[in-house]
Amino acid sequence: MNKDTIAGKWNQVKGKAQAKWGDLTDDDFDVAEGNAEYLSGKLQERYGWNRERADQEVRDFSQTLN
C-alpha cells in the first residue's frame, strides 16, 4: 500500500473515496486526512469487513490514483 500516494493527493481524491465508500461520513474522511490505516479501520467498522478485505480495498483504491 502506498500511503504517501493517498496522503499526498488526499484533497484531490476525497470525492472519489466518498463516492466509492458512501457509508463513510465527511467527518470520517476529514479525520482520515489520507491516513490509509485509519481509512482501513473505518471500512472495517462501517462495512463489517475483516482487516484483509479492508486493506485490499484501500490498496485497490490507491492503485486507481496512479
Side-chain angles (χ1 to χ4, degrees), residues 9-50:
K9 297 181 178 181
W10 186 244
N11 288 330
Q12 296 170 342
V13 301
K14 183 178 170 184
K16 290 180 184 179
Q18 286 174 317
K20 181 168 181 64
W21 300 303
D23 287 349
L24 297 181
T25 66
D26 285 339
D27 289 340
D28 292 332
F29 288 108
D30 289 343
V31 172
E33 292 183 7
N35 182 317
E37 290 176 21
Y38 179 86
L39 189 55
S40 178
K42 280 297 175 181
L43 290 172
Q44 290 175 63
E45 180 182 314
R46 298 292 161 118
Y47 290 94
W49 295 338
N50 63 27

